[in-house]
């Protein structure tokens, strides 16, 4: 403790060491998360495409949201912070560049927290503790790991802005307030509150009026951006019907006063409140004059019908986090001031109380932060992931797609191919683009495909992919380990053979099970089962479970005929049958040649009324000409 009380330099060095450690660990986690394909088209691919386009002279262009190329600021958020970042991206053109920069910027927020705590508490040790608590804060770490967002950059900008505001340093306050506005429109609401704080608390009326006026003007212009677009003669933007924005639910507050009560009573909002304030020991609540600065966006998050707005897993806490830490520091300052007023004489009891406040309370905050970090931060989940050969295969296939080509890609593949002008999320424009990229063997949880703004649950095999597999305008340029790349104009029959014909070296498990005297199963690949879910505000979460395996067939029919296979998947309590034509019905047995190994992907949705577990797989041939029996193959889970 005395070490930090000796000089400011020692304490600041301790803070900088914490920042360096954070940058190393969180950059590593962000990069690993990206490399194992946990990033999503929404919003990682969108933001990388924005930055890449800007670095090539096309200001914040995006093609994903609406399915056509348009500058993002006309239809979505104002994330102008990506304009200066595009210059750095031009020098180091990789999504990893932005992930690292985002981490460094977020970590820098520990510096104004240290400065503010040092000034208000007059204690270097407490200041270091609060800086470390910030670096350990689960909501901040999770925002760091949740792809790339302009909003995520706002946390340190607001911290610097507030610090220089209360120091009356107008130039530096203006700089960081301006940078905050560039991050996203949400920042203007917090800066509006900063203006009110200047008027009523700091007694800087002229500054406060200017700050609040500029901030609310910025936000109102954002809300009226489509009308402004029309006023300057630009054509209207054809947005799909039923689209709801991040701010639309505010209208419901005026239409139905009970809307607020209904939402505040939700269990997830109670959890949200605890997860935000408990890591700092609820000290923020002791400084209502500063905590109220977060009221606009905190209220919006609580009232939002967007499920992610009231959790700590995403970027939506980014404007609230700085206010929580500012209020934590001021809360402890208020307790200290109260003791000084009550006990004017410095007795041993007073000194003990002040020692507890300045040393024990910050230690307790750090201890709480560590505890919540362990249980609520996603960094530990990310570091449990590993880059597999399947991930490397995807990267190899993506490298076959020219940058100038238009692409439709599945949501978890899109961020890795986002450095292009035309990128869409499957199945958007799947029959118009140059290339379509899909992955049958995705290990990650599949959330949605997103045609326009209509969210639809999607299994690996669905009507869209079946339609594309039958589209003779597209041929399969490459197929490997479930990763399939379609190219417009490529020979369809040649591509189909790439999908259907396997090599012996790729078979992980060999079998020698004859289905009849002409066809046998020579191997299989038992893929990891997937749990897929979709969310509906009305019905809640719907869980869908899937089993996926690959069968490798061999055989040559003495007379050409098409044979289907009947699979029986069963356990001790249940038995299910389904019939299937080989290779999605596109490469029937009548086409099989002697010596070929046929690759057949099998997907089965587990009925919702049973638990997943171990199932035995049996198969028989549906053949009118020959007698077949049910043959046991293997177990799946």
């Amino acid at each position: 403790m005395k070490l930090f009380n000796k000089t400011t330099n020692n304490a600041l060095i301790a803070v900088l060491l914490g920042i360096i450690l954070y940058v190393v660990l969180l950059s590593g986690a962000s990069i690993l998360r990206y490399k194992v394909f946990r990033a999503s088209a929404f919003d990682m691919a969108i933001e990388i495409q924005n930055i890449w386009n800007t670095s090539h002279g096309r200001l914040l262009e995006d093609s994903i949201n609406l399915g056509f190329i348009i500058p993002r600021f006309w239809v979505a958020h104002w994330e102008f912070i990506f304009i200066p970042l595009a210059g750095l991206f031009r020098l180091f053109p990789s999504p990893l560049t932005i992930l690292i920069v985002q981490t460094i910027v977020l970590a820098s927020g520990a510096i104004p927290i240290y400065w503010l705590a040092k000034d208000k508490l007059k204690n270097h040790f407490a200041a270091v503790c609060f800086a470390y608590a910030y670096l350990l804060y689960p909501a901040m770490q999770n925002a760091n790991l949740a792809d790339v967002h302009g909003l995520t950059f706002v946390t340190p900008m607001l911290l610097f802005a507030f610090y220089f505001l209360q120091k009356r340093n107008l130039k530096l306050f203006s700089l960081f307030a301006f940078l905050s506005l560039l991050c996203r429109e949400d920042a203007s609401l917090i800066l509006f509150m900063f203006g009110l704080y200047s008027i009523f608390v700091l007694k800087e009326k002229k500054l406060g009026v200017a700050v609040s006026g500029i901030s609310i003007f910025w936000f109102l212009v954002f809300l009226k951006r489509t009308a402004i677009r029309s006023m300057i003669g630009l054509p209207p933007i054809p947005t799909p019907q039923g689209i709801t924005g991040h701010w639309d639910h505010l209208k419901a507050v005026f239409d139905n006063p009970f809307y607020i009560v209904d939402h505040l009573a939700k269990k997830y909002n109670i959890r949200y409140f605890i997860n935000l304030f408990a890591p700092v020991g609820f000290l923020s609540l002791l400084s209502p004059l500063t905590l109220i600065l977060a009221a606009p966006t905190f209220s919006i998050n609580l009232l939002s019908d967007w499920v992610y707005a009231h959790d700590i897993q995403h970027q939506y806490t980014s404007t609230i986090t700085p206010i929580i830490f500012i209020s934590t520091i001021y809360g402890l300052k208020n307790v200290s001031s109260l003791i000084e007023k009550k006990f004017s004489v410095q007795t041993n009891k007073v000194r003990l109380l002040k020692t507890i406040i300045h040393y024990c309370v910050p230690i307790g905050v750090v201890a709480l932060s560590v505890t919540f970090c362990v249980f609520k931060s996603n960094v530990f989940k990310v570091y449990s992931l590993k880059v597999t050969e399947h991930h490397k295969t995807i990267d190899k296939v993506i490298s076959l797609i020219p940058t100038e080509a238009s692409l439709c890609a599945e949501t978890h593949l899109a961020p890795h191919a986002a450095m292009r002008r035309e990128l869409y999320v499957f199945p958007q424009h799947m029959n118009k683009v140059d290339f379509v990229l899909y992955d049958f063997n995705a290990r990650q949880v599949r959330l949605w495909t997103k045609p326009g703004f209509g969210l639809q649950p999607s299994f690996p095999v669905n009507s869209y992919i079946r339609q594309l597999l039958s589209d003779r305008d597209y041929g399969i340029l490459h197929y490997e380990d479930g990763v399939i790349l379609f190219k417009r104009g490529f020979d369809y029959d040649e591509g189909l053979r790439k999908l259907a014909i396997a090599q012996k070296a790729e078979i992980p498990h060999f079998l020698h099970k004859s289905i009849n005297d002409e066809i046998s199963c020579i191997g299989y690949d038992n893929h990891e089962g997937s749990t897929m879910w979709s969310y509906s505000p009305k019905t809640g979460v719907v869980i869908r479970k899937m089993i996926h395996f690959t069968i490798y067939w061999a055989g040559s029919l003495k007379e050409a005929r098409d044979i289907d296979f009947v699979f029986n998947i069963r356990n001790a309590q249940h038995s299910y049958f389904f019939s299937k034509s080989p290779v999605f019905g596109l490469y029937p047995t009548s086409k099989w040649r002697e010596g070929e190994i046929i690759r057949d992907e099998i997907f089965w949705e587990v009925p919702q009324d049973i638990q997943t577990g171990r199932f035995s797989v049996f198969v028989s041939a549906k053949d009118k000409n020959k007698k077949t029996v049910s043959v046991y193959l293997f177990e799946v889970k």
Side-chain angles (χ1 to χ4, degrees):
M1 297 181 186
K2 292 182 179 180
L3 176 66
F4 294 144
N5 282 325
K6 285 182 180 180
T7 65
T8 300
N9 288 340
N10 289 343
L12 188 56
I13 288 171
V15 173
L16 293 176
L17 288 174
I19 289 173
I20 292 170
L21 182 61
Y22 177 93
V23 170
V24 171
L25 292 177
L26 269 293
S27 291
S30 296
I31 291 169
L32 177 58
R33 180 179 179 273
Y34 176 80
K35 286 185 173 293
V36 297
F37 290 81
R38 291 301 175 98
S40 170
F42 309 94
D43 294 320
M44 184 71 177
I46 290 174
E47 307 298 27
I48 295 302
Q49 189 188 33
N50 264 283
I51 296 168
W52 184 84
N53 270 321
T54 302
S55 73
H56 285 76
R58 298 181 289 271
L59 185 63
L60 298 176
E61 276 191 357
D62 157 43
S63 63
I64 296 175
N65 267 315
L66 294 181
F68 55 85
I69 298 171
I70 190 169
R72 178 168 164 81
F73 55 83
W74 286 120
V75 295
H77 300 294
W78 277 9
E79 298 162 315
F80 299 113
I81 194 68
F82 291 143
I83 297 174
L85 286 176
L88 181 63
F89 191 83
R90 183 79 179 187
L91 296 175
F92 305 98
S94 167
L96 305 187
T97 301
I98 305 303
L99 290 173
I100 294 170
V101 170
Q102 178 173 265
T103 303
I104 292 171
V105 171
L106 265 176
S108 71
I111 295 173
I113 287 176
Y114 164 76
W115 287 340
L116 186 66
K118 177 174 65 70
D119 289 352
K120 297 302 174 184
L121 302 174
K122 309 301 181 186
N123 186 292
H124 295 297
F125 177 78
V128 172
C129 285
F130 284 123
Y132 273 73
Y134 167 78
L135 295 172
L136 290 164
Y137 193 57
M140 194 268 284
Q141 291 189 359
N142 292 345
N144 196 161
L145 293 172
D147 292 349
V148 167
H149 300 92
L151 183 60
T152 306
F153 286 82
V154 84
T155 299
M157 304 305 177
L158 289 174
L159 284 166
F160 277 108
F162 182 85
Y163 175 75
F164 290 117
L165 176 64
Q166 57 87 35
K167 295 290 284 187
R168 274 76 167 180
N169 189 326
L170 182 58
K171 290 183 180 179
L172 287 176
F173 165 73
S174 299
L175 171 63
F176 285 101
F178 174 68
L179 290 173
S180 298
L181 288 176
L182 294 185
C183 292
R184 212 172 89 159
E185 67 278 358
D186 307 50
S188 61
L189 300 178
I190 302 298
L191 289 171
F192 171 77
M193 299 300 289
F194 278 15
L196 297 182
Y197 186 82
S198 299
I199 296 170
F200 296 107
V201 179
L202 300 181
K203 306 304 180 183
E204 298 283 351
K205 293 185 179 179
K206 290 183 180 179
L207 174 62
V209 169
V211 171
S212 290
I214 293 171
S215 300
I216 202 65
F217 175 76
W218 182 267
F219 187 70
L220 290 175
V221 171
F222 163 78
L223 291 180
K224 296 294 183 181
R225 64 198 183 282
T226 54
I228 293 170
R229 180 180 171 87
S230 177
M231 288 169 57
I232 62 178
L234 292 174
I237 301 169
T239 56
Q241 291 185 351
I243 172 177
T244 57
H246 181 62
W247 306 104
D248 290 356
H249 62 276
L250 292 179
K251 300 172 186 175
V253 176
F254 299 99
D255 297 337
N256 176 17
F258 293 103
Y259 181 86
I260 297 176
V261 178
D262 291 343
H263 276 70
L264 292 182
K266 302 284 187 183
K267 288 183 180 179
Y268 53 67
N269 274 333
I270 297 172
R271 286 196 300 268
Y272 181 55
F273 181 86
I274 293 172
N275 288 333
L276 284 176
F277 291 98
V280 292
F282 297 99
L283 283 174
S284 304
L285 304 179
L286 300 179
S287 178
L289 279 179
T290 53
L291 188 58
I292 200 171
L293 298 176
T297 50
F298 186 57
S299 302
I300 287 165
N301 286 359
L302 287 174
L303 298 175
S304 178
D305 56 3
W306 179 238
V307 63
Y308 299 137
H310 24 72
D311 65 25
I312 62 165
Q313 302 298 312
H314 301 85
Q315 72 277 11
Y316 298 103
T317 59
S318 296
T319 54
I320 300 171
T321 295
I323 309 305
I324 286 177
F325 276 88
I326 290 167
S327 300
T328 298
I329 293 167
Y330 275 77
L332 192 57
K333 166 68 175 174
N334 290 342
V335 174
S336 180
S337 298
L338 184 64
I339 291 174
E340 289 178 355
K341 288 179 181 178
K342 189 171 182 179
F343 303 98
S344 56
V345 181
Q346 290 290 319
T347 63
N348 290 334
K349 184 179 180 181
V350 174
R351 292 190 186 95
L352 177 62
L353 287 173
K354 292 184 73 173
T355 299
I356 292 173
I357 290 170
H358 290 147
Y359 293 101
C360 297
V361 173
I363 290 173
V365 168
V366 172
L368 281 170
S369 299
V370 170
T371 302
F372 274 83
C373 180
V374 170
F375 290 102
K376 295 295 182 179
S377 174
N378 291 329
V379 69
F380 300 101
K381 297 177 184 176
V382 171
Y383 272 113
S384 68
L385 304 172
K386 293 182 180 180
V387 178
T388 66
E389 290 302 316
H390 182 69
H391 299 136
K392 296 175 183 178
T393 298
I394 301 174
D395 285 328
K396 183 178 78 172
V397 176
I398 289 175
S399 69
L400 302 175
I401 309 170
T403 303
E404 63 275 10
S406 58
L407 173 67
C408 168
E410 198 179 6
T411 180
H412 75 289
L413 304 179
H416 294 254
M419 294 191 292
R420 65 189 64 251
R421 194 177 188 197
E422 279 195 75
L423 174 66
Y424 307 102
V425 176
F426 187 85
Q428 271 185 337
H429 301 311
M430 68 176 191
N431 57 349
K432 297 178 182 178
V433 294
D434 299 323
F435 290 86
V436 179
L437 181 63
Y438 199 75
D439 181 14
F440 286 115
N441 291 349
R443 299 299 197 268
Q444 76 172 53
V445 175
R446 297 167 184 269
L447 297 178
W448 300 291
T449 55
K450 188 173 182 180
F453 279 89
L455 298 175
Q456 299 182 4
S458 175
F459 266 10
V461 178
N462 50 66
S463 59
Y464 298 111
I465 193 65
R466 290 186 185 280
Q467 177 186 337
L468 189 61
L469 285 166
S470 301
D471 189 345
R472 298 192 71 87
D473 289 338
Y474 285 84
I476 299 170
L477 180 67
H478 192 88
Y479 183 88
E480 185 176 353
D481 194 21
V483 184
I484 186 168
L485 179 63
F486 298 89
K487 181 180 180 181
R488 187 177 184 86
F490 191 77
D491 184 271
Y492 178 82
D493 293 318
E494 181 184 342
L496 186 57
R497 288 183 60 80
K498 291 183 179 181
L499 174 65
I501 308 303
Q503 302 300 316
K504 193 172 184 179
E506 75 180 68
I507 304 175
H509 306 288
F510 286 92
L511 293 172
H512 296 284
K513 300 290 184 73
S514 296
I515 309 305
N516 56 34
D517 57 0
E518 296 175 303
I519 298 173
S520 62
C521 172
I522 64 169
Y524 71 96
D525 190 357
N526 185 3
H527 302 288
E528 192 175 309
S530 297
T531 299
M532 287 155 280
W533 62 274
S534 57
Y535 177 82
S536 164
K538 294 182 179 179
T539 62
V541 174
V542 178
I543 302 294
R544 304 170 73 199
K545 294 161 285 190
M546 180 197 71
I547 284 175
H548 173 203
F549 52 89
T550 306
I551 297 288
Y552 295 92
W553 306 107
S556 178
L557 305 187
K558 295 174 183 176
E559 63 175 281
R561 64 189 189 280
D562 293 336
I563 299 174
D564 290 346
F565 297 101
V566 178
F567 288 92
N568 175 208
I569 299 182
R570 64 196 190 203
N571 58 18
Q573 294 80 31
H574 305 275
S575 182
Y576 298 92
F577 291 87
F578 62 92
S579 179
K580 184 183 178 301
S581 300
V583 196
F584 308 107
L586 300 174
Y587 203 77
T589 56
S590 57
K591 292 185 177 181
W592 292 10
R593 304 171 187 171
E594 191 171 353
E596 287 182 343
I597 299 174
I598 309 301
R599 181 194 305 110
D600 195 8
E601 303 281 4
I602 313 293
F603 299 91
W604 178 61
E605 182 179 350
V606 181
Q608 291 189 19
D609 59 340
I610 66 171
Q611 296 293 321
T612 52
R614 301 199 73 84
F615 293 88
S616 297
V617 177
F618 293 79
V619 68
S620 60
K622 192 176 181 180
D623 187 355
K624 295 180 180 178
N625 297 356
K626 289 186 176 290
K627 184 179 180 181
T628 63
V629 294
S630 183
V631 177
Y632 168 75
L633 296 180
F634 48 83
E635 282 192 340
V636 294
K637 185 177 182 181

